[in-house]
Amino acid sequence: MPTFLAEDLSVLASGKPLLWGNPALKQASMQPSLQQALEFAPQVSRERILDAQLRMQRFAPLLARLFSELQPSDGRISSALIPAPRLQSALGLAREQGQLLVKCDHSLPVAGSVKARGGFHEVLEFAERLALRHGLLQPTDDYSLLAESPARKLFSGYRVAVGSTGNLGMAIGVIAAALGFEAIVHMSAEAKQWKKDRLRKRGVTVVEHSGDYAQAVEAGRQAALHDPNTHFVDDERSLSLMLGYAQAGQELKTQLGSAGIAVDAEHPLFVYLPCGVGGAPAGISVGIKQALGPHAHCIFAEPTQAPCFVLRMLQPEGEPMSIYDIGLSNQTEADGLAVPRASELAVGVMRPLLSAAYTVQDQDLFDALLLARDTEDLRLEPSAAAGLLGPLALTGSDAGRDWLTRMDIQRHLPQATHVAWTTGGSLVPDEQYAAFLAKGYRTNT
Ligand SMILES: *Cc1c(COP(=O)(O)O)cnc(C)c1O
């Protein structure tokens, strides 16, 4: 279907919002192929996700000791799943189109964003490996001993580095510094000043780059290459990050179960995930598909000026293009999503698993951010508001309705569940947050 691709590509290049259904999705009626699709991502297997989950459990006592805000949860990192009826009606999503829930990763402890899932896991895995190798830890030990001086002394001889538009740097920087590592964060031009200040206050070295996210990552990767004592968290290629994100699938399954919400052919689930390089939403999606099966549909959201993931899905062959190649700017207030080229790992994993993707304009992000505050008192950053626009993009656009009909889901919408994944925002300083809200009012008053 080359003409289909060409049409979508021209809409994408025009910077207009679009909703795109993935023709390569392995569907519910193709159970064996869904299994194949999951096995197609053998790196993110069920066993490895479970492994990562057990690792986080082993580290929970240490995390509770290092961060007082994790004491109430005994060191567990998780977020609430909440019904959002007032936001649903403010967004204009009729009850006959399903029920809106919000998965509150914007309030994940310590990091204030989805990056707490992947970023923490990778740094903890590195710390565990070092401590085991140096005989400071037995697998059955209480890991809180890693807060004591022999381990801290060991960690202080190592560096953890990362390239980031902001939030990943915050998560990695905070956890690495708390363990006693030297932490270096390469920030791209989009990174907000307050994020740099916050990290520097915690003793993290922040290297500022005038280039975009891809350049910041490359600079960090190169710097780390020449230093055997540096662990570089590679947001474009890291499996450990993805496994950290993937644990969210089981968490969501448990929460839906407690709420008495079924996921099956008559009760489809749509999960709307803001997408930057693709690692976080892809990891979460694999976890969701593993835990909840083919009737859980994962749908990615990107800014109209930085739709790198959809672009690569539309252009599967050849060298990966960047969004600059089709005339887009990467300019967006959704700094967490301002990425010119998608992760090839994430694209490979998602090709058979992604149901759909859509793009959003910044103004719509600000409006949704404001509505989320006014109706449910959620404190979001612009990137995190992208998921809120999904249910309407899917049920209210011609392209979305066509897709729903083609998939034979349209008739089940009244029993559908829509989960908007709010990926960040609780740590945004008041002044910044007020500026976001003010931008929302512009069209609402
Ligand atoms: C990082 C981030 C995302 C997307 O994650 P990727 O792995 O870059 O796709 C979404 N929202 C927020 C707030 C983020 O910080």
Side-chain angles (χ1 to χ4, degrees):
M1 38 178 85
T3 50
F4 175 65
L5 292 182
E7 249 171 57
D8 282 332
L9 197 58
S10 70
V11 176
L12 206 63
S14 74
K16 292 199 195 86
L18 116 170
L19 183 130
W20 172 81
N22 178 15
L25 171 68
K26 303 290 184 208
Q27 294 173 34
S29 57
M30 306 158 69
Q31 260 297 1
S33 341
L34 176 71
Q35 270 318 313
Q36 274 168 18
L38 287 168
E39 280 151 25
F40 168 79
Q43 319 99 307
V44 231
S45 64
R46 206 180 284 274
E47 291 71 31
R48 286 196 171 152
I49 296 174
L50 182 64
D51 236 31
Q53 234 167 314
L54 294 174
R55 178 170 298 108
M56 294 308 288
Q57 283 171 21
R58 290 195 294 276
F59 271 102
L62 175 67
L63 292 175
R65 182 162 162 184
L66 292 177
F67 302 104
S68 57
E69 55 191 297
L70 286 178
Q71 275 164 12
S73 68
D74 293 322
R76 226 175 83 81
I77 306 228
S78 63
S79 72
L81 175 70
I82 60 164
R86 292 174 298 267
L87 180 54
Q88 166 159 4
S89 97
L91 286 166
L93 181 69
R95 193 57 193 81
E96 307 79 68
Q97 310 278 4
Q99 186 196 359
L100 177 68
L101 304 179
V102 173
K103 181 66 176 143
C104 299
D105 273 12
H106 66 280
S107 60
L108 276 178
V110 184
S113 82
V114 66
K115 302 303 192 303
R117 297 183 183 276
F120 285 14
H121 176 256
E122 175 150 354
V123 175
L124 294 174
E125 187 178 20
F126 177 58
E128 183 179 47
R129 202 161 56 233
L130 280 176
L132 288 170
R133 198 200 301 149
H134 287 81
L136 290 182
L137 186 70
Q138 301 302 318
T140 51
D141 282 342
D142 177 345
Y143 276 30
S144 48
L145 69 82
L146 294 180
E148 283 157 25
S149 61
R152 296 191 71 82
K153 188 153 171 279
L154 170 69
F155 296 154
S156 70
Y158 290 85
R159 283 190 198 97
V160 174
V162 66
S164 169
T165 62
N167 284 343
L168 184 63
M170 291 240 291
I172 300 281
V174 168
I175 186 95
L179 285 163
F181 289 112
E182 190 184 332
I184 301 179
V185 176
H186 295 265
M187 291 279 202
S188 63
E190 293 81 29
K192 303 282 185 222
Q193 190 58 43
W194 69 269
K195 296 183 182 175
K196 301 176 197 168
D197 295 343
R198 203 180 160 94
L199 283 174
R200 287 190 172 122
K201 228 177 267 163
R202 298 212 184 202
V204 174
T205 303
V206 177
V207 185
E208 299 182 55
H209 294 274
S210 54
D212 63 21
Y213 159 86
Q215 291 167 309
V217 171
E218 189 50 33
R221 192 185 282 134
Q222 288 307 322
L225 211 55
H226 303 290
D227 179 1
N229 286 351
T230 296
H231 177 81
F232 180 64
V233 176
D234 198 323
D235 197 18
E236 292 179 314
R237 302 173 186 171
S238 167
L239 185 58
S240 184
L241 279 179
M242 215 178 251
L243 290 169
Y245 292 124
Q247 296 168 52
Q250 194 56 48
E251 186 179 312
L252 180 66
K253 180 183 179 173
T254 306
Q255 289 172 325
L256 288 169
S258 309
I261 295 173
V263 179
D264 55 35
E266 282 78 44
H267 303 84
L269 171 72
F270 304 99
V271 183
Y272 305 94
L273 295 151
C275 172
V277 72
I284 292 171
S285 295
V286 177
I288 287 175
K289 292 299 235 187
Q290 296 274 16
L292 289 158
H295 304 289
H297 291 279
C298 298
I299 299 175
F300 286 7
E302 298 189 287
T304 51
Q305 286 298 322
C308 62
F309 206 89
V310 183
L311 175 61
R312 187 54 169 157
M313 295 294 281
L314 289 172
Q315 293 280 312
E317 308 298 336
E319 273 295 293
M321 280 164 76
S322 94
I323 53 110
Y324 306 124
D325 297 330
I326 58 168
L328 296 174
S329 68
N330 203 36
Q331 294 298 313
T332 168
E333 292 284 337
D335 51 335
L337 314 182
V339 173
R341 206 182 300 253
S343 150
E344 287 291 294
L345 172 64
V347 169
V349 164
M350 289 312 291
R351 189 165 296 287
L353 298 180
L354 184 68
S355 288
Y358 59 97
T359 60
V360 297
Q361 283 168 325
D362 279 13
Q363 187 57 57
D364 293 326
L365 293 178
F366 287 120
D367 291 348
L369 181 152
L370 176 67
L371 288 180
R373 199 280 309 257
D374 286 352
T375 56
E376 312 284 348
D377 202 18
L378 307 175
R379 189 183 181 100
L380 307 182
E381 59 184 87
S383 301
L388 297 174
L389 301 165
L392 226 58
L394 188 67
T395 61
S397 71
D398 289 341
R401 280 191 292 259
D402 283 353
W403 183 81
L404 288 165
T405 305
R406 222 172 333 126
M407 298 288 291
D408 197 26
I409 325 180
Q410 182 81 41
R411 63 206 169 96
H412 300 305
L413 278 183
Q415 304 93 251
T417 303
H418 303 269
V419 173
W421 212 284
T422 51
T423 44
S426 62
L427 296 184
V428 174
D430 290 342
E431 200 181 314
Q432 291 267 330
Y433 186 61
F436 293 153
L437 291 174
K439 289 188 178 167
Y441 279 118
R442 212 181 300 156
T443 52
N444 285 326
T445 52

